[in-house]
Amino acid sequence: MPLYLNDEQQMLRDTARDFIAEHAPVAHLRKLRDDDNPDGLSRDLWKSFADMGFTGILMSEQDGGLGLGHVEAGIVLEEIGRNLSPSPFLTTAVAAVEALKGSPHAARHFPGILSGTTIAALAIDEGPKHREHVALKAERSGNGFKLNGRKRFVQHGHIADLIIVAARTAGAAHEQDGITLFAVDPTMPGIQQDSQRLADSSIATSATFENLHLDADAVIGEIDAGHDPLNRLLRAARTGAAAESLGVGAGAMDMTIGYLKERKQFGQTIGSFQALQHRAAHLYSEMEVARAAVIKAAQLLDSGSEKADDAVSVAKAMTTLATTLAVQEGIQMHGGIGMTDEYDIGFYMKRARVLAEMFGDANFHADKLARAAGY
């Protein structure tokens, strides 16, 4: 498959680029932050995403969606990253939709996601770094389950209408078998969430589950066999995070190149200095390689390839490294003003840092690839 967009995908990219740049540029993020907005995002913008059809991008046409794939979802996410637009698109329209597909929960929650009235959060992480361990316990209780434990970094958990929780119904924390996914109403008694602002001004919660009683209907998929829908969720989320990270890096690079063309020293633009040209060319090359990795991962996910897992880890690791280079070079080439809040380049570094950690950092995915290869 060619590692570039076809005509229809380019049309979607142009539509998403114009819409997001007009309605949710970096100034939108700055205003939400300066106003100390308690939601951390605009619900009106989320409904606008629905009006554009973006929220149903991964849903089938039978479910009312667009029936598109991960390549198209990545196109939207790259523009979200380029503009640093706060939205629940990744957790809701990508990760949650993938987890709920084929389950009775799809009929219950897809209409709300399609209309932009439902926001979903993911309660997966339990430590300071993303790992694949699941220790939160779900013990059988009557006709359902009783959940006890804690989750961290639950993005949008404070305003979510649905939280997808990975829990342990059998086995040890490091085992793949014995995991069950639950669809949880966050207003139920037994959940306590403490909100915290992250480095990029987004909001995540630490969620404590204490004797939370759930009916058996809350189970997504099969009991003790939640590893499959969880993997489906994580593959989609990691590819989506890689695409958004790519957009963050591209936005930082564009801003930096623009600055090199305007800023003058010794009577000439600093972009004419050969040393900076070399660094800009290196950055462009790294970003293009990362872009190819993201498209490849999304294409393999859409085709259901057995090689998708490895490609997803390659994409997440490569975009993390390329985008880290983009924001660091951006700060350096802007000089001292790059460190000031007045210039937007700093926002790109903060968002890149958060995305780097989401669903596994570069070291996590390098280790995952090495283990898969037998090392």
Side-chain angles (χ1 to χ4, degrees):
M1 288 178 281
L3 297 178
Y4 54 81
L5 305 181
N6 61 31
D7 291 343
E8 290 78 12
Q9 291 164 345
Q10 289 182 36
M11 287 177 60
L12 173 63
R13 180 199 60 192
D14 294 342
T15 300
R17 181 167 294 180
D18 291 345
F19 172 79
I20 295 174
E22 178 182 353
H23 296 277
V26 181
H28 175 73
L29 164 67
R30 183 182 287 277
K31 185 172 191 315
L32 288 172
R33 185 206 63 171
D34 291 348
D35 292 346
D36 196 21
N37 184 290
D39 289 347
L41 53 80
S42 165
R43 286 185 177 272
D44 288 340
L45 178 65
W46 183 230
K47 288 183 178 177
S48 297
F49 271 50
D51 294 339
M52 294 292 291
F54 296 156
T55 55
I57 202 163
L58 284 178
M59 295 181 199
S60 67
E61 294 181 5
Q62 291 82 359
D63 287 326
L66 298 180
L68 299 176
H70 293 277
V71 174
E72 288 78 9
I75 289 170
V76 176
L77 278 162
E78 183 173 345
E79 298 311 315
I80 288 173
R82 187 186 303 276
N83 292 280
L84 304 178
S85 312
S87 90
F89 184 84
L90 177 58
T91 59
T92 304
V94 176
V97 165
E98 277 301 298
L100 298 177
K101 275 182 179 176
S103 77
H105 296 281
R108 194 175 308 159
H109 296 293
F110 277 8
I113 294 174
L114 275 171
S115 64
T117 55
T118 294
I119 291 174
L122 312 173
I124 297 171
D125 292 323
E126 298 183 359
K129 300 283 284 186
H130 175 78
R131 295 289 182 268
E132 294 186 315
H133 295 184
V134 175
L136 185 144
K137 288 187 176 179
E139 299 173 314
R140 290 183 183 273
S141 175
N143 190 34
F145 293 86
K146 183 173 63 177
L147 272 60
N148 280 287
R150 192 176 181 212
K151 295 289 185 181
R152 302 179 64 176
F153 304 115
V154 184
Q155 286 256 333
H156 314 306
H158 63 303
I159 54 171
D161 307 286
L162 161 71
I163 300 181
I164 295 178
V165 181
R168 173 68 56 187
T169 43
H174 65 279
E175 295 179 355
Q176 291 188 355
D177 295 334
I179 294 173
T180 302
L181 287 191
F182 294 91
V184 176
D185 177 353
T187 62
M188 295 179 70
I191 307 175
Q192 174 68 42
Q193 294 196 76
D194 297 320
S195 300
Q196 293 180 326
R197 283 200 185 273
L198 304 183
D200 62 347
S201 301
S202 65
I203 300 175
T205 69
S206 291
T208 302
F209 299 81
E210 186 173 356
N211 295 322
L212 170 65
H213 288 272
L214 296 174
D215 293 336
D217 291 345
V219 173
I220 301 172
E222 302 290 331
I223 297 169
D224 293 342
H227 188 252
D228 288 340
L230 178 59
N231 256 0
R232 208 164 58 234
L233 178 158
L234 284 172
R235 282 194 293 263
R238 286 165 176 163
T239 305
E244 184 175 345
S245 180
L246 185 68
V248 172
M253 183 176 70
D254 289 348
M255 183 175 294
T256 303
I257 298 301
Y259 184 73
L260 296 183
K261 291 178 178 177
E262 293 177 0
R263 177 79 167 103
K264 288 186 176 180
Q265 282 186 345
F266 310 114
Q268 54 188 320
T269 57
I270 60 175
S272 65
F273 300 155
Q274 192 174 44
L276 294 185
Q277 290 176 351
H278 285 172
R279 288 167 66 175
H282 174 225
L283 173 57
Y284 177 80
S285 301
E286 294 296 326
M287 291 301 299
E288 287 305 298
V289 173
R291 184 184 309 283
V294 173
I295 294 176
K296 184 68 174 178
Q299 289 176 341
L300 292 179
L301 277 183
D302 288 335
S303 66
S305 170
E306 294 179 354
K307 298 178 181 177
D309 270 344
D310 286 353
V312 168
S313 285
V314 169
K316 183 66 168 64
M318 289 189 69
T319 53
T320 296
L321 296 175
T323 296
T324 299
L325 177 67
V327 297
Q328 288 178 344
E329 288 287 61
I331 295 287
Q332 280 213 353
M333 292 191 208
H334 272 77
I337 61 168
M339 298 294 293
T340 65
D341 187 68
E342 182 181 355
Y343 277 75
D344 291 339
I345 189 68
F347 285 111
Y348 285 89
M349 172 167 276
K350 293 169 183 173
R351 183 57 182 163
R353 192 70 195 91
V354 171
L355 282 169
E357 294 294 330
M358 288 175 68
F359 312 117
D361 61 14
N363 289 336
F364 171 88
H365 286 286
D367 180 69
K368 195 168 184 288
L369 287 165
R371 290 177 186 274
Y375 291 98

